[in-house]
Amino acid sequence: MNFGTRMRDKMWFSVWVLFLFGSCCGRFVVEKNSLRVTSPDALKGVYECAIGNFGIPQYGGTMVGFVAYPKSNRKACKSFDEFDISYKSKPGGFPTFLLVDRGDCYFTTKAWNSQKAGAAAIIVVDDKEEPLITMDMPEEDSGRGDYLPNISIPSALINQSFGDRLKKSLENGDMVNVNLDWRESLPHPDDRVEYEFWTNSNDECGPKCDGQIDFVKAFKGVAQILEKKGYAQFTPHYITWYCPEVFTLSKQCKSQCINHGRYCAPDPEQDFSIGYDGRDVVIQNLRQVCLFKVANESGKPWLWWDYVSDFSIRCPMKDKKYTKECAEDVIKSLGVDLKMINDCIGDPEADEDNPILKAEQDAQIGKDSRGDVTILPTLLINNRQYRGKLDKSAVLKAICAGFLEKTEPAVCLTEDIQTNECLENNGGCWRDQAANVTACKDTFRGRLCECPIVNGVKFVGDGYTHCEASGSGRCEINNGGCWKESRDSMSFSACSDTEANGCKCPPGFKGDGVHACEDVNECKEKIACQCRDCKCKNTWGSYECSCRGDLLYMEKHDTCISKNASKEISWSFLWVIFLGLAAAGIGGYAVYKYRIRSYMDSEIRAIMAQYMPLDNQGEAPTNHIHHPDI
């Protein structure tokens, strides 16, 4: 094919892609953060600014600095080294937010030159009064792309009128202090983050395609941790376009689309005469969606990350391995059901909708606060489009900003993505150094001062100046914050597990129970050993009582008695008891004998009365005499 034919194909391709982009593009949402001016008074207030689609926005955090407007190179299209200008902060000084004008070069060029000069952030002033726009990266074929991955400072676009006010204030010699705030740039409603990654299986589209696959490889480990432990729910998506009906039967449409023009992708090389076609990309995109669907249904959605990483390594376009056979080998190695995936893909030649790709096209349309997805790659976090560099740390930082405070997983609290504010001055919170217990809780957004729960024991208080262990087991942690002391193998404590809280000096001591308990001198205060012959000796936490001479101390009665007298009294007491028992026994026996004799006399008299009259009774009538049976 000659040069003219290739140029016509490329021109047709460009017109077609623009038509498709135009047909799908709808509502584009500009993601914003806030800019608070704290001085001078004339500018105090909160202003909106648009987040750039490059660099690293500090999602979930803030940055404080002062604004500088250069005297030269005000559009930052050249290196500031040429003008001998530096904005590097001195130790202990505030960082510089460089204010530059829009125009003459790419936004990314301005950011890169500002970063090299030492600026901590770049604020671009729009060159006309209009609604805020999203500053994006240049297309692959235009501008220098070698520095794009190295831009790390955040960027913001402000409207022209606000920019003019900032410039005027700076020209008057005012120090303009501002706070860039991204804490509310992403919703953070609960303890789980839902995020989507709109990507492409094409690996021949230049730096953007390289950046996508590099991100997948780097983020794979973190993504799988978040998914396996239920912290996050991830869903991959793929953008497709449709071929206008008038071109459905054209050679170009057939080479770029499947299902009779319903689902299309641009030619990877932007040249229809060489390499792979757009339809190859669409089918591979569909295969990746289906793999996720099958893996998700089997409870292993994280296998998508393994498949995409392995496919990019084993089946690249440049090695002519971007094929169905290579893709299926990767699928088999991961143990995913190949038949289910092929059933999901269906027939690319069928003149009907593919339910999977149709759902993908429907998902491209924005709903509620989310705009349409028109840029590749696009990351959505909690239904809000992420802006900034597609970098592992930057994206993780944004995802962590989507958790409700205090629910973020440990991976969000690592040193490389956030600062532990409890390390300096304990965050201004309460702390018991002796027990190594603190009320400072580090969170992704900062810190909270809340009384902790340690080993099942809850501390109560305001978290700033006071926390106290409460409930069962509290004495096991630093003795419940109460006084405790040991001497000569004896220990006393003002903490009691039978009490829910508080400290009380034990018997024998007096004091507040927290800072000190002093021994009570029972002898000096005449609390014990007060009898005439008593001798009192105070001990730590108690006392000892004794008696003078050979006397014996009786603690119950607080008195002293003779040891000999006590023996005599004891033996006399025993003899009295013995004699008493003997007398009781004799008396009892006499009563017993008397009652037996009386009973027997009575019985004998009754028997004899039946046969003869007795002296003490009259003759009984004969008819009343009882005759025994013969």
Side-chain angles (χ1 to χ4, degrees):
M1 184 179 291
N2 60 33
F3 176 76
T5 303
R6 288 199 301 271
M7 287 301 296
R8 283 196 300 274
D9 283 345
K10 285 190 174 184
M11 184 177 296
W12 190 96
F13 169 83
S14 300
V15 172
W16 180 67
V17 170
L18 287 172
F19 183 89
L20 296 183
F21 264 103
S23 64
C24 76
C25 291
R27 187 168 55 92
F28 184 85
V29 174
V30 177
E31 304 297 344
K32 304 172 183 176
N33 65 300
S34 64
L35 185 156
R36 179 186 295 273
V37 178
T38 56
S39 69
D41 290 340
L43 287 175
K44 273 187 178 180
V46 179
Y47 304 86
E48 278 190 340
C49 51
I51 305 173
N53 208 27
F54 49 86
I56 302 179
Q58 300 301 306
Y59 280 105
T62 62
M63 287 182 68
V64 178
F66 69 88
V67 178
Y69 185 50
K71 293 181 179 179
S72 303
N73 196 27
R74 289 185 166 179
K75 292 185 178 180
C77 290
K78 297 180 179 180
S79 173
F80 283 95
D81 290 340
E82 298 180 23
F83 302 90
D84 197 24
I85 297 175
S86 174
Y87 294 101
K88 294 179 180 178
S89 299
K90 297 179 180 179
F94 276 113
T96 301
F97 298 161
L98 195 59
L99 189 71
V100 302
D101 294 325
R102 181 182 177 183
D104 292 355
C105 61
Y106 295 107
F107 292 119
T108 52
T109 302
K110 300 175 188 291
W112 178 240
N113 288 332
S114 299
Q115 179 176 309
K116 288 196 300 177
I122 177 175
I123 302 173
V124 180
V125 181
D126 204 346
D127 57 1
K128 57 184 175 182
E129 200 62 39
E130 63 178 348
L132 293 174
I133 64 169
T134 296
M135 297 182 291
D136 201 2
M137 296 180 290
E139 291 300 320
E140 290 74 15
D141 290 340
S142 56
R144 294 184 61 194
D146 54 342
Y147 56 76
L148 291 179
N150 299 318
I151 298 176
S152 59
I153 63 173
S155 59
L157 178 76
I158 60 175
N159 60 46
Q160 187 182 48
S161 58
F162 176 45
D164 289 344
R165 293 178 64 194
L166 288 176
K167 294 175 189 177
K168 183 177 180 181
S169 183
L170 290 167
E171 289 171 357
N172 291 336
D174 295 330
M175 177 176 284
V176 180
N177 289 341
V178 302
N179 185 343
L180 291 172
D181 191 339
W182 294 268
R183 288 176 296 180
E184 300 303 322
S185 296
L186 286 175
H188 43 93
D190 52 36
D191 60 354
R192 190 181 78 165
V193 170
E194 298 174 0
Y195 68 109
E196 305 171 6
F197 183 43
W198 290 81
T199 182
N200 193 353
S201 64
N202 180 6
D203 62 9
E204 286 292 322
C205 63
K208 280 193 174 182
C209 286
D210 296 339
Q212 290 180 72
I213 193 57
D214 288 345
F215 167 71
V216 171
K217 291 176 181 177
F219 199 72
K220 179 177 71 171
V222 173
Q224 292 178 336
I225 289 174
L226 293 172
E227 190 82 15
K228 288 179 180 179
K229 295 189 176 182
Y231 296 124
Q233 183 182 50
F234 165 75
T235 307
H237 287 292
Y238 296 82
I239 290 180
T240 60
W241 299 275
Y242 66 88
C243 181
E245 188 174 353
V246 66
F247 298 116
T248 300
L249 300 178
S250 67
K251 172 186 173 183
Q252 290 83 359
C253 198
K254 287 181 178 179
S255 68
Q256 310 310 306
C257 308
I258 65 172
N259 293 89
H260 288 245
R262 288 176 174 83
Y263 313 106
C264 312
D267 186 278
E269 301 84 11
Q270 298 188 20
D271 188 335
F272 299 127
S273 63
I274 59 174
Y276 291 96
D277 293 327
R279 64 179 282 111
D280 299 319
V281 175
V282 176
I283 293 174
Q284 180 53 225
N285 289 349
L286 177 57
R287 182 173 287 109
Q288 292 188 4
V289 177
C290 286
L291 178 132
F292 175 78
K293 180 177 182 295
V294 173
N296 189 43
E297 290 172 352
S298 66
K300 297 180 179 180
W302 50 83
L303 289 178
W304 178 90
W305 296 88
D306 289 318
Y307 174 76
V308 173
S309 298
D310 291 353
F311 181 80
S312 68
I313 296 170
R314 298 173 59 179
C315 313
M317 287 183 175
K318 64 180 180 179
D319 294 341
K320 309 299 181 185
K321 294 181 179 179
Y322 189 86
T323 63
K324 175 183 177 182
E325 293 73 24
C326 187
E328 291 185 346
D329 286 342
V330 177
I331 293 171
K332 291 174 184 177
S333 70
L334 296 174
V336 185
D337 192 320
L338 181 60
K339 182 179 184 304
M340 292 181 67
I341 292 175
N342 287 331
D343 290 344
C344 171
I345 293 172
D347 181 9
E349 305 301 328
D351 188 8
E352 60 185 12
D353 287 336
N354 179 294
I356 301 297
L357 291 179
K358 187 175 187 308
E360 291 294 290
Q361 285 187 344
D362 292 341
Q364 290 176 220
I365 307 302
K367 297 178 178 63
D368 301 324
S369 61
R370 198 208 85 183
D372 298 345
V373 178
T374 58
I375 299 174
L376 279 179
T378 290
L379 188 70
L380 286 149
I381 302 174
N382 286 348
N383 210 35
R384 190 75 61 82
Q385 290 193 21
Y386 164 84
R387 300 292 184 218
K389 183 180 179 182
L390 200 61
D391 170 82
K392 173 187 172 181
S393 295
V395 170
L396 179 58
K397 194 176 187 72
I399 289 175
C400 291
F403 288 102
L404 183 67
E405 194 166 21
K406 295 196 302 182
T407 68
E408 55 271 281
V411 70
C412 291
L413 303 177
T414 53
E415 293 181 1
D416 59 336
I417 67 166
Q418 70 102 35
T419 301
N420 188 342
E421 297 188 26
C422 293
L423 296 179
E424 185 175 347
N425 195 33
N426 199 49
C429 305
W430 170 87
R431 182 181 184 183
D432 185 337
Q433 290 187 341
N436 195 25
V437 177
T438 175
C440 188
K441 181 177 178 61
D442 182 41
T443 69
F444 182 75
R445 289 181 174 78
R447 67 96 177 98
L448 296 175
C449 292
E450 290 185 349
C451 292
I453 297 176
V454 181
N455 297 333
V457 178
K458 181 176 177 59
F459 283 72
V460 295
D462 63 9
Y464 293 92
T465 61
H466 173 71
C467 286
E468 180 182 358
S470 177
S472 176
R474 68 189 184 96
C475 297
E476 299 298 323
I477 302 175
N478 194 32
N479 201 51
C482 302
W483 169 87
K484 183 179 181 180
E485 191 173 339
S486 298
R487 292 183 189 176
D488 300 328
S489 72
M490 296 181 63
S491 295
F492 290 95
S493 169
C495 184
S496 173
D497 275 328
T498 60
E499 301 292 335
N501 49 51
C503 303
K504 183 179 180 181
C505 289
F509 292 89
K510 61 182 179 180
D512 62 8
V514 177
H515 301 97
C517 286
E518 297 179 0
D519 174 57
V520 175
N521 191 330
E522 291 86 356
C523 301
K524 185 176 181 180
E525 297 185 13
K526 298 182 178 181
I527 297 174
C529 305
Q530 296 303 303
C531 66
R532 185 183 62 183
D533 296 317
C534 289
K535 291 195 302 182
C536 185
K537 178 184 177 182
N538 185 59
T539 62
W540 185 61
S542 186
Y543 58 91
E544 294 177 358
C545 284
S546 61
C547 295
R548 296 180 179 87
D550 294 332
L551 297 178
L552 180 68
Y553 180 71
M554 298 185 71
E555 183 178 1
K556 184 176 181 181
H557 301 287
D558 190 28
T559 187
C560 292
I561 61 173
S562 171
K563 294 181 180 180
N564 295 330
S566 65
K567 291 180 181 179
E568 293 173 1
I569 291 172
S570 298
W571 281 109
S572 298
F573 184 66
L574 289 174
W575 275 111
V576 169
I577 292 175
F578 177 75
L579 292 174
L581 290 173
I586 293 170
Y589 180 75
V591 171
Y592 169 76
K593 293 291 288 182
Y594 173 77
R595 291 187 66 183
I596 289 295
R597 181 63 181 268
S598 298
Y599 175 75
M600 290 179 66
D601 287 348
S602 175
E603 287 295 315
I604 292 170
R605 289 174 66 86
I607 294 171
M608 292 181 68
Q610 298 179 30
Y611 298 96
M612 64 185 70
L614 300 178
D615 292 340
N616 60 347
Q617 69 179 36
E619 186 176 352
T622 57
N623 60 337
H624 287 170
I625 296 176
H626 174 70
H627 294 279
D629 293 334
I630 298 177

